[in-house]
Amino acid sequence: MEDKPMDGHQSTRFDVVPHPAPTAADARAAMVANPGFGRVFTDHMVVINYTEGRGWHSARVEARKPFLIDPASAVLHYAQEIFEGLKAYRTPSGGAAMFRPEANARRFHNSAERMAMAPLPESLFLESVRQLVQVDRDWIPSADVGTLYLRPFMIASETFLGVKPSAEYMYMVIASSVGSYFKGGGDGVTVWVSQHDTRAASGGTGAAKCGGNYAASLRAQAEAVRNGCDQVVFLDAVERRRVEELGGMNVFFVFQDGSLLTPPLDGTILPGITRDSIIKLARDAGIAVREGQYTLDEWRADAASGKLQEVFACGTAAVITPIGRIRNPEGEFVAGAAGTAGGPVTQRLRKTLVDIQQGKAADPHGWVHTVF
Ligand code: PLP
Ligand code: COI
């Protein structure tokens, strides 16, 4: 392997060391047939190391296995950690494609900067996910079952207890055969309004995809589950009135006049790639989209009056999922006047998006990247 630094955009060489004892084909087929979400892992992983003064080096695809880190590794103490989530789709011809991976590469870069971590060159990010999809191609479910969910992440690996940006990082990519994120179907998901916990404040890390944001959301998410809900919706940290996003998804409102509204990218929510794609696809279809604030009180009143028809959550894992009910300690209401199973605009947008992702429809924005 070429062992020179890879900070620039020169071509990158990955050392590929195949798994010595990969999962047998029949066992793999059984795992991929009904995978659930996030429990079935492929045979390989990508690892790239960063050392201050040397840059990114030692890119490799190797057998997926546990690895050793020192108990004083910075990530274990000060939580310098970021991640991404994107999918590889089985195409009608039996190949594979990824959806907007360059947008994930950019966001990973931005997350690294926010967390004072060494940014991974975007070309290296793209090459890493491409390599893993190639090597683990047999783990991509058929389009009717699901997708291969790719999880790039980076940890601070310097052995040092002083509080400062780490001088060493490990970037890795793992992959998981997945079906849908939410169990069941029919009705939309039920969402719990977090009363006590907020997700992010101005100047914080809300727009970065760092593990700490998710750690801070888990108490509210656990409360949601205790109250029979699937997800938590967070309100703004200042007035506790404006809707921000769910624990792992952005949110859209569909009004009677056919227009869409989604909370703005003001630094406290994650700039979702699905969110961005929906805005563009809706505008392509002549639908008016506003990025603006919306309070829980407006939501309740507009759902009751019929002004608000449909509400949906969106994200890589969730795709587009109708929100059926909103619940808090005072009671619950149906999220939109069209009912708990969502409505026609949600369904149409979902089909438009998924058909592009699966290579079944034209790709007017050049979002689909063929892997093989
Ligand atoms: N918001 C949060 C907090 C998320 O975790 C995610 C999922 O990645 C999203 C929004 C949606 O982002 P994307 O559409 O890029 O997956
Ligand atoms: C994703 O959609 O990729 C996420 O990171 C969200 C999480 C709920 C799995």
Side-chain angles (χ1 to χ4, degrees), residues 181-324:
Y181 188 75
F182 292 112
K183 289 197 212 81
D187 267 15
V189 293
T190 301
V191 166
W192 176 254
V193 184
S194 174
Q195 304 289 299
H196 308 292
D197 296 345
T198 59
R199 181 181 171 280
S202 174
T205 58
K209 203 160 169 64
C210 60
N213 287 345
Y214 296 79
S217 77
L218 294 178
R219 184 169 69 172
Q221 176 63 26
E223 188 182 72
V225 171
R226 272 201 310 281
N227 284 280
C229 297
D230 303 283
Q231 272 276 307
V232 58
V233 61
F234 288 103
L235 303 178
D236 74 278
V238 178
E239 298 178 0
R240 310 282 178 105
R241 295 170 59 234
R242 296 184 300 271
V243 177
E244 298 238 301
E245 64 178 326
L246 311 194
M249 288 139 223
N250 294 118
V251 61
F252 276 82
F253 301 92
V254 185
F255 294 94
Q256 205 168 28
D257 66 3
S259 68
L260 298 185
L261 173 67
T262 191
L265 301 182
D266 58 5
T268 58
I269 68 171
L270 193 78
I273 294 158
T274 318
R275 175 191 180 280
D276 183 73
S277 307
I278 289 165
I279 291 174
K280 292 193 165 84
L281 292 174
R283 287 183 178 151
D284 288 351
I287 297 172
V289 186
R290 244 172 359 101
E291 295 176 71
Q293 295 174 343
Y294 198 56
T295 64
L296 182 64
D297 289 342
E298 289 174 303
W299 185 351
R300 190 185 292 106
D302 290 347
S305 75
K307 184 177 168 193
L308 177 65
Q309 286 290 313
E310 307 171 35
V311 187
F312 63 83
C314 68
T316 298
V319 194
I320 292 180
T321 301
I323 296 180

Side-chain angles (χ1 to χ4, degrees), residues 344-363:
V345 177
T346 303
Q347 276 171 28
R348 207 164 57 237
L349 284 168
R350 184 183 162 101
K351 180 164 171 27
T352 304
L353 177 68
V354 171
D355 282 355
I356 295 172
Q357 290 171 330
Q358 295 185 344
K360 291 184 188 158
D363 172 26

Side-chain angles (χ1 to χ4, degrees), residues 16-181:
V16 180
V17 185
H19 197 298
T23 310
D26 53 347
R28 185 184 62 230
M31 291 159 84
V32 171
N34 184 18
F37 187 93
R39 293 194 190 279
V40 172
F41 296 100
T42 64
D43 285 325
H44 296 89
M45 63 184 184
V46 167
V47 187
I48 314 179
N49 297 98
Y50 176 88
T51 312
E52 205 168 80
R54 186 173 169 199
W56 290 99
H57 60 90
S58 312
R60 57 209 188 266
V61 182
E62 60 186 28
R64 181 184 181 279
K65 59 181 182 307
F67 59 98
L68 291 172
I69 54 172
D70 193 278
S73 292
V75 64
L76 300 178
H77 304 272
Y78 310 125
Q80 255 193 313
E81 190 271 354
I82 58 171
F83 68 97
E84 268 303 327
L86 70 161
K87 286 173 170 174
Y89 301 81
R90 184 63 79 188
T91 59
S93 61
M98 292 184 290
F99 185 71
R100 305 189 69 182
E102 74 293 346
N104 295 92
R106 175 110 290 259
R107 188 169 66 188
F108 196 66
H109 194 282
N110 294 342
S111 296
E113 287 194 329
R114 176 62 186 88
M115 303 304 288
M117 302 170 85
L120 183 76
E122 289 165 46
S123 55
L124 208 44
F125 180 102
L126 290 172
E127 185 59 19
S128 70
V129 286
R130 190 171 276 278
Q131 290 273 346
L132 193 59
V133 173
Q134 287 275 9
V135 170
D136 281 332
R137 55 169 65 202
D138 294 336
W139 290 86
I140 308 171
S142 60
D144 56 327
V145 169
T147 57
L148 188 67
Y149 182 79
L150 302 164
R151 173 51 64 87
F153 64 102
M154 194 203 299
I155 60 171
S157 50
E158 186 181 358
T159 303
F160 181 54
L161 290 183
V163 181
K164 62 140 192 117
S166 178
E168 289 167 28
Y169 296 95
M170 272 177 86
Y171 166 78
M172 305 177 76
V173 191
I174 54 173
S176 174
S177 311
V178 300
S180 59
Y181 188 75

